[in-house]
Each structure stands twice: as C-alpha cells, then as structure tokens.
Amino acid sequence: MMGKYRLKTFIILLASVILIIASCNRPVPAPKENPYYSRDTATFMAPDTSTIPNDQFGDLVRYGRDLILHTAYYIGPNGIKGKYLGNKMNCTNCHLDAGTRPYGFNFFSSYARYPQYRGRENEVLTMEQRVNNCIERPHSGIPLPLDCKEMVAMVCYIRWVGTNVPIGHQVKGDECLEIEYPDRAADPEKGAKIYAAVCSSCHGINGEGKGPEDSVTYQFPPLWGPHSYQIGSSPYRVVKLARFLKGNMPDKIATWRKPFLTDEQALDVAAFINDDRIHSRPQKKDKSTPDYPDPKGKAIDYGIGPFIDTFSEQQHKFGPFKPIISYRKAHNMPVKF
Ligand code: HEC
Ligand code: HEC
C-alpha cells in the first residue's frame, strides 16, 4: 500500500516539476523590429499579438487591446458601447503602442504592481479602480462599471502585456526615461518657443489637437483646453510629462534610444503645456474627496498644496527640484515623483 502511494506521489511531483520547467522556459516571441524595440538590450518586451491564445481569455485580450487603441470609438462621447469618456482621446495617445512601448507609459509591470496603495486616494486601489482613474481624469469621464465587459477586457489585456512579469516586480523600460534636474526652474516662456517650433505643427497652435475627418477621435490629440487631460491627472505634473516627452516626442522622431529634446527643453515645454496661468483645462468634477488626503503621499512635482515641506506651490510645480529633494532627504521625508 505504502509503496504504491509513494510512487503515485513521486509521479505527480515529477510531472509538476516538468510542467513548471517547461512553462518557465517557453520563450515569449518578441514584436517585429521597429525603432522603439530592441533585442540587444534588457528592456522588457510585451509578447507578440500573434501569441494571444485562441480561447475565452484571448478573446477578451483582443477586445481589450482594441479598446485601448480605439477607446473613443467604443466608449467615447458617442461611443457604440456606452458614453463614458468626456473627450475623444484614446488610451494609446498616452499609453503608446497600446501600452507596449518601452519608456512610453506602458503597461509592462502594471498588473504585477496592482492592487497598490495610492497616495492620491490614500487607499489600496485595484487595477479596475486604477483604470477608472484614467477614465475620470485624463478623459474627464464617468467610471465604467467594475464588472462590465469593457473593463474586464482592458484588464485582461493589461494582464497579457505583463506576461512573465513576476507579481510585485518591475522590469526595465516600464517607467519613462530619467531626467536630470537643472539648477533652475522649468521655464514656460522657453517652452513656448520650443512648442511653436517643434510641436504645434501636429498638436495645433492652441494645443487643440487635430482630428481626422470622422471626428470620432484625434489624429493628433489635444494638449490643453477643454478636451485635454484634467488638472490633477498624472501628465499634469511637469516632471512626469517631461520624462514622457524626452523619449517619445516629437512623435516618430524622438525615440527612447535617441531622444530629441534635452532634459531642460523637455521640462520647459512640459511647464508651458501645464502652466495654468496660460492654459485652461478641465477640473475634477467630484470635489468631495480631496486628492492626497495625507500630503505625505504627494509627489514632489504635484503643484497643489498643502505640502509637508515649506516650498511654494510654484516651486513644487516648476522647480528647481534639487533644493526640495535635499531638504526632504535632510529631514527624513519621502522623496517621490
Ligand atoms: C509628427 C506629429 C507630432 C509632433 C511633431 C509632436 N507630437 Fe505629440 N503626439 C503625436 C501623436 C500622433 C500622439 C498620440 C500618439 C499615439 O496615439 O500613438 C502624440 C501624443 C502626445 C502627448 C500625449 C497625449 C496628449 O494629448 O496628452 C503629449 C503630451 C504630446 N504628444 C506632446 C508633444 C510635444 C510637447 C511635442 C513637441 C516637443 C510633440 N508632442 C510633438 C504627434 C506629434
Ligand atoms: C492623457 C494621457 C492619458 C490617457 C489618455 C490615459 N492615461 Fe492612463 N495614465 C497616464 C499617466 C501619465 C499614468 C501614470 C504613469 C506613470 O506613473 O508612470 C497613467 C497610469 C495608468 C495606469 C497605471 C499604470 C501603472 O503601471 O501604474 C493604468 C492601468 C492606466 N493608466 C490605464 C489607462 C486606460 C485604460 C486608459 C484609457 C481608458 C488610460 N489610461 C488613458 C496617462 C493617461
């Protein structure tokens, strides 16, 4: 009896080990060559879309990817699946290449890092709640029901992009490029000149963006004004935006391997875009829940007080950031961007 039992356990164990080894070693095919991707760096790559499985999960992944690419068509102001977004932008306008471009606000390690504590809400958010954050802020929309097919599909897609990223881990390329902080504040006036010379041909002289003829969405998304992202959304922060611009704008010219703007130029143009003395943008609708109920959780470049240090709103928004960083380090305070 005993021997038979042991043999059975041994066979089950052996089979499991073989299965685990086999699944670990299965290579994830890389996307086709493209200036943004490279096989010769350790930068993470999302699996190729041809590997999306032909099962129920795969169907959701494919629909989710379509939603990230054509968000306005499905759930925009005139969406065929519901009117949720307050503007005609698509997720992929910021989460470039449907969230698969290195250093382009991608979803590489997103699934692996959620549920996550978020300082802005001072609570743990699920992936679904985080998606709704982007629907409410950059898109000025109303939250999707957490269990609707569109939400489930987008989360399945984000899960699939992060295939093989261990839970709790980050991977190379999942954040935007780093920038060095200059000793001066970011300068919106210098940024205005860069904008006029480099960006306005696509995004418009008034940052209004340009649509294709069908008016469902944009060819070049807006950067400020009533149809752009809200005050308080992530790209409204100067450093957060500058890091994205460095590796990705102007579109099709800058790449993370060959940025176009210098760090100072990226900060200046981000300051110009996000300067609310010059440009207006939508405000948060529901003011009943304040952002960052505990100011300790606030990112340094979040330009709306109160703060746990004594620096002004102006300096938090535009810099210079080095004095804030050293003050915080000296006082054992969190340094978060
Ligand atoms: C050749 C046209 C082109 C130029 C020039 C260009 N962009 Fe863009 N930009 C785009 C496109 C297209 C997207 C959306 C990307 C997508 O959907 O794949 C975009 C997206 C963005 C976004 C994120 C989406 C949004 O609307 O908030 C920002 C911010 C941005 N660009 C800023 C800039 C800045 C600043 C410059 C100048 C330094 C610039 N762009 C130059 C075409 C351009
Ligand atoms: C105007 C730009 C913009 C648009 C449009 C946008 N987002 Fe975001 N989103 C951001 C930024 C910026 C962040 C913060 C990224 C970071 O901190 O590196 C973010 C973060 C996220 C995160 C968390 C990622 C992580 O790894 O922590 C998810 C998930 C997300 N967005 C989903 C979406 C979805 C789904 C849509 C479309 C319905 C969308 N976003 C539209 C700018 C945008």
Side-chain angles (χ1 to χ4, degrees):
M1 272 302 271
M2 229 10 218
K4 218 170 149 192
Y5 175 73
R6 279 207 193 123
L7 185 66
K8 219 168 145 187
T9 319
F10 177 70
I11 290 170
I12 291 171
L13 261 174
L14 189 71
S16 328
V17 168
I18 289 171
L19 262 175
I20 290 169
I21 291 174
S23 63
C24 287
N25 281 346
R26 197 165 45 206
V28 176
K32 291 173 192 68
E33 274 308 339
N34 150 335
Y36 301 108
Y37 303 96
S38 154
R39 284 173 222 273
D40 58 20
T41 66
T43 299
F44 181 81
M45 277 184 263
D48 193 275
T49 47
S50 64
T51 66
I52 299 174
N54 280 322
D55 56 11
Q56 264 176 303
F57 172 68
D59 291 344
L60 284 165
V61 171
R62 268 182 289 271
Y63 183 40
R65 181 168 181 276
D66 228 34
L67 278 155
I68 301 287
L69 289 169
H70 309 290
T71 327
Y73 170 76
Y74 287 109
I75 57 169
N78 295 308
I80 60 160
K81 295 288 179 185
K83 302 176 186 4
Y84 290 97
L85 308 183
N87 62 37
K88 297 177 189 169
M89 288 178 64
N90 300 314
C91 314
T92 194
N93 292 157
C94 298
H95 301 288
L96 300 172
D97 299 342
T100 65
R101 187 187 298 179
Y103 308 97
F105 288 149
N106 57 61
F107 298 135
F108 289 174
S109 65
S110 304
Y111 194 86
R113 289 182 288 101
Y114 274 82
Q116 184 191 103
Y117 167 82
R118 303 280 300 158
R120 195 160 66 178
E121 291 76 17
N122 197 23
E123 59 185 44
V124 171
L125 259 56
T126 61
M127 176 53 82
E128 288 79 359
Q129 289 172 307
R130 183 65 186 88
V131 166
N132 269 339
N133 254 344
C134 267
I135 289 185
E136 288 186 77
R137 311 243 185 177
H139 287 287
S140 296
I142 49 169
L144 283 173
L146 296 178
D147 58 353
C148 72
K149 188 173 178 196
E150 284 64 37
M151 176 62 85
V152 173
M154 285 194 281
V155 172
C156 283
Y157 172 71
I158 292 169
R159 168 78 189 84
W160 174 83
V161 170
T163 302
N164 288 354
V165 179
I167 295 301
H169 283 251
Q170 287 203 247
V171 291
K172 192 159 181 249
D174 63 357
E175 293 183 0
C176 287
L177 289 181
E178 299 277 351
I179 53 172
E180 275 183 36
Y181 307 116
D183 292 322
R184 63 167 177 86
D187 184 342
E189 276 179 38
K190 287 201 171 103
K193 295 202 182 96
I194 300 164
Y195 185 82
V198 184
C199 323
S200 64
S201 56
C202 290
H203 292 284
I205 308 259
N206 297 311
E208 71 279 23
K210 287 181 195 162
E213 301 311 312
D214 66 6
S215 88
V216 172
T217 183
Y218 293 95
Q219 184 183 3
F220 305 116
L223 301 183
W224 64 83
H227 310 298
S228 178
Y229 56 82
Q230 278 186 15
I231 286 180
S233 58
S234 303
Y236 181 63
R237 286 160 42 195
V238 169
V239 172
K240 177 82 54 192
L241 182 60
R243 290 179 60 182
F244 167 84
L245 298 177
K246 180 177 173 182
N248 300 293
M249 289 294 140
D251 192 43
K252 307 233 160 36
I253 296 169
T255 68
W256 61 271
R257 312 180 91 197
K258 212 165 177 287
F260 179 88
L261 302 171
T262 64
D263 291 7
E264 292 199 15
Q265 287 173 331
L267 284 164
D268 290 343
V269 76
F272 169 70
I273 290 171
N274 284 335
D275 189 344
D276 50 19
R277 296 165 299 188
I278 324 177
H279 301 137
S280 67
R281 56 179 70 253
Q283 298 263 0
K284 186 178 164 189
K285 283 182 214 143
D286 172 16
K287 297 218 167 87
S288 60
T289 46
D291 283 354
Y292 297 102
D294 182 350
K296 212 183 246 174
K298 215 171 261 190
I300 285 184
D301 60 336
Y302 191 85
I304 306 165
F307 305 106
I308 50 168
D309 55 44
T310 51
F311 295 91
S312 65
E313 285 195 338
Q314 170 93 1
Q315 185 160 353
H316 274 282
K317 187 164 173 101
F318 298 112
F321 299 106
K322 278 185 196 161
I324 310 182
I325 298 170
S326 17
Y327 175 90
R328 289 201 168 199
K329 281 188 178 151
H331 291 82
N332 209 10
M333 291 173 174
V335 179
K336 226 175 76 74
F337 275 94

